[in-house]
Structure formats: structure tokens, C-alpha cells
Amino acid sequence: MTTNNKNLKLAIQKQGRLTDETLEFLRKSSLEFESYQQKLFSLCRNFPLEIVYVRDDDIGGFVENGVVDLGIIGQNILYEVRPKVKKLLNLRFGFCSLVIAVPKESDVRRLEDLNEKIIATTYPVSTQNFLKKSNVQAKVIKIGGSVEIAPVLGIAEAIVDLSSTGSTLALNDLRIITKIYDSEAVLITNDKFSGQTSKEKLLEKLLLRFKGVLSAKNYKYVMLNAPEEIFPKLKKIVPGLKSPNISQLIKKGWLSVQTVIKEDVFWETVEKLKRVGVSKIIVLPIEKMIT
Ligand code: PRT
Ligand code: ZN
């Protein structure tokens, strides 16, 4: 698999729920590479990085053992399998939650009602840990897949599974009792190449790109016009206005302001801005943001 030991190696999921978004993230980071269905690995044209395509279950071990330097996997696998790896970044995709669910008509309402019950899951470690912490004595059985049909088959009275849209639970008439944890895709590494200055430098460069893409995703670029006298109020509403670009408009007493607003408070902020008298707000996506 190795073509050049000086290259950084990154393992990603070959084909599955994380693949498309991982490839999109890497391309947004300006990495250029070919990737097609039967691929095993690709070498980036414009960065000394090899991308290795594997089953998601193998990524943690490959990173732990130094077969590759980096990996992108769901945090859920880190919680469950606990490979000795270091998390570098949350990548803001692949969102899901590990939940406990029971059939809609079940008499289980609260966590305590699971005492003495049987729970089927592909996440036995996460489940056991959670039950222990919650002081619930239930029997956990590990099954290979199709967890959602375990209650119908009479194998278990409850299940623990990942859920993202909630459709699978709804389709199988299951109801959530509680959430065990939230998960998203993460970038992981090992300590095998610390001291190898050239690789460490490469990682630093790669992280700068990744962080640039992540920051850009979290912010919007905003241009707005406002009367001069409301400027002090604007500063309170938009924290990013500490160092805004301000220019005078031809219309006397009016300013044009350019700044960035965090995505998660975007609409809230826009509503407040309108309320204090800001007119004409133009919003642009940010491609990359290097800070
Ligand atoms: O072939 P390989 O071993 O590489 O893949 P896999 O089949 O083991 O994993 P895959 O592709 O299903 O999931 C890879 C990763 O995607 C997981 O480890 C999670 O980090 C992440 N992820 C995000 C999910 C989901 N969302 C998800 N919804 N993984 C699985 N699911 C399943 C869940 O188990 C259930 O069967 O989707 C179903 C529920 O989905 P909703 O949308 O109906 O709620
Ligand atoms: Zn898998």
C-alpha cells in the first residue's frame, strides 16, 4: 500500500455514509486527487498526501498501529472501540446519535424501566458503560446488524443504535427512551511520527487547510448599510464587529459595514439588526477563512 514514506497517509471510508462528505471536505481543502469506485488509494497531485480507502472499522486500528498517519471516522467508533489515537478535529459532518429505543407500545417509559430487560446492539461497550453510569441492570446482547428489527424478532425488548434522521426508528415503530451520545466525523492521528519534523510540518500545513474550510463553514460574510448613529448598537449585536471594514456611503450619515457572522446565530443576529434599523443586508458564503 505504501508508495512513499515521506507522504502523509490518510485513511477514509471506502464506501459508506461518510465517504461522499469526506471526499467533499478534502476537495474543499483544495486537495486534488482522482477517486473512483474501485479505488484502493490515491495520491494528491498538489500535496504530499496519500488517501487510503478502507472499511470504517479498520481506520482506528490502522491509525493506532501507524499503518497510516491520519484517519477520518465517526466519533462513535472511537467511543466504542477505543483505539489509542488522538482526535485532532471535529469535521462537522456525519452527525448522528446513539440512542436507546423501545417498541412504541412497550411499557418501558424511563431508563429505570430497562432493569432486567434485554437490549440488542452493535455498540455493546457504549451501551454497557452508559447503563453502568445510570445504575441500570439490563442484559446487553451484541448482534451484527439490523438492530431495529430485534424487538419484532423477540430477541430483545430494547435496542441501542445510531440514528440520524430518525426514519429507521419511525419505520420500525420504535420510540427513543434516551440518547447515549452525539457523534460526528473526526480527524484522528497517532504519535508515531512525532519527531519526524518533515511529516509534522506537513500535518501543520494540512491542518491549516482543514481549519480554514471548517471556519468558513461556520461563518457567513455579511455586508450591510446602517445610519451612523446606530453603530454602537451594531457592535453589541455582532460580536465580530470588533474589527469590521467600515466605509462611508454617498448618502450622508450612512455607513457600509462588512463583517462575519457565526452560522449558528445567523438568523437571530439578522433579526436583531433589522430591528435596530439596518437596511439592505447582503450575505455571502465564505470559501475559506484563515485566522
Ligand atoms: O462498510 P463499512 O464497514 O465501511 O461501513 P458501515 O456499514 O460499518 O458504516 P456506515 O457507512 O453505515 O456508517 C459509517 C459512519 O457514519 C458511522 O460510524 C457513523 O459515524 C456515521 N453515521 C451517521 C451513521 C448514521 N449517521 C446512521 N444513521 N451510521 C449509521 N447509521 C445507520 C443506523 O445504524 C441505522 O441503521 O442508519 C440507520 C438510521 O438512520 P436514520 O437516518 O433512519 O435515523
Ligand atoms: Zn463498518
Side-chain angles (χ1 to χ4, degrees):
M1 174 155 65
T2 314
T3 53
N4 181 342
N5 247 340
K6 291 198 176 123
N7 291 338
L8 272 181
K9 291 181 189 67
L10 165 71
I12 69 170
Q13 192 184 25
K14 184 176 166 67
Q15 202 172 15
R17 278 172 197 268
L18 296 181
T19 309
D20 287 350
E21 282 179 288
T22 301
L23 292 173
E24 188 192 342
F25 176 73
L26 296 176
R27 294 222 155 91
K28 273 197 184 143
S29 307
S30 306
L31 296 168
E32 291 173 12
F33 55 93
E34 309 305 327
S35 88
Y36 49 93
Q37 276 292 305
Q38 290 317 312
K39 65 221 169 221
L40 294 175
F41 70 92
S42 359
L43 178 61
C44 293
R45 275 193 292 279
N46 60 348
F47 197 92
L49 176 77
E50 280 171 42
I51 301 166
V52 184
Y53 303 89
V54 293
R55 294 276 312 260
D56 70 338
D57 313 67
D58 293 330
I59 296 175
F62 280 2
V63 174
E64 178 176 344
N65 299 324
V67 176
V68 294
D69 307 302
L70 300 161
I72 293 179
I73 48 171
Q75 185 136 30
N76 49 300
I77 297 193
L78 295 189
Y79 292 143
E80 181 65 23
V81 185
R82 297 167 181 253
K84 289 188 196 66
V85 297
K86 188 167 93 184
K87 185 180 95 175
L88 290 173
L89 289 175
N90 282 29
L91 298 176
R92 316 307 289 150
F93 62 83
F95 292 104
C96 55
S97 307
L98 189 70
V99 299
I100 306 184
V102 295
K104 276 197 182 128
E105 71 280 6
S106 164
D107 54 3
V108 175
R109 301 263 147 214
R110 298 162 309 161
L111 202 49
E112 307 86 272
D113 301 334
L114 285 168
N115 273 310
E116 314 299 325
K117 300 276 196 269
I118 298 174
I119 306 176
T121 184
T122 47
Y123 286 80
V125 177
S126 307
T127 307
Q128 292 280 21
N129 286 343
F130 180 78
L131 292 175
K132 197 166 164 205
K133 236 180 22 205
S134 316
N135 232 341
V136 172
Q137 264 89 46
K139 185 175 176 203
V140 178
I141 53 165
K142 185 181 177 183
I143 57 173
S146 305
V147 175
E148 63 280 359
I149 57 168
V152 175
L153 296 178
I155 303 172
E157 288 133 313
I159 64 156
V160 167
D161 198 9
L162 293 175
S163 170
S164 45
T165 62
S167 324
T168 305
L169 295 178
L171 276 171
N172 289 282
D173 283 328
L174 295 163
R175 133 173 86 78
I176 295 179
I177 296 293
T178 191
K179 180 168 79 182
I180 297 184
Y181 53 64
D182 288 318
S183 175
E184 68 184 276
V186 292
L187 177 72
I188 54 168
T189 188
N190 53 40
D191 54 10
K192 302 269 185 229
F193 63 100
S194 66
Q196 293 184 43
T197 325
S198 58
K199 268 202 174 178
E200 280 177 331
K201 285 218 170 97
L202 282 181
L203 177 58
E204 228 172 82
K205 282 188 190 172
L206 194 63
L207 284 179
L208 183 72
R209 290 183 182 216
F210 287 172
K211 284 180 186 164
V213 173
L214 288 169
S215 307
K217 203 169 164 183
N218 290 337
Y219 289 88
K220 293 258 181 277
Y221 190 77
V222 174
M223 296 191 279
L224 54 90
N225 294 345
E228 232 164 302
E229 67 271 15
I230 67 163
F231 192 68
K233 283 188 191 161
L234 292 190
K235 273 184 161 168
K236 282 197 193 129
I237 298 171
V238 189
L241 271 184
K242 269 177 252 148
S243 52
N245 292 326
I246 307 166
S247 42
Q248 210 82 39
L249 285 178
I250 301 170
K251 196 166 153 192
K252 206 166 174 290
W254 279 71
L255 295 174
S256 164
V257 180
Q258 288 136 51
T259 188
V260 293
I261 296 183
K262 261 193 131 173
E263 173 84 61
D264 50 1
V265 290
F266 177 75
W267 284 110
E268 219 175 296
T269 310
V270 167
E271 278 159 24
K272 284 186 196 159
L273 288 171
K274 297 228 46 123
R275 243 179 276 141
V276 295
V278 171
S279 77
K280 204 174 182 192
I281 306 174
I282 295 173
V283 184
L284 299 168
I286 302 173
E287 193 182 302
K288 296 197 178 56
M289 192 165 121
I290 317 293
T291 51

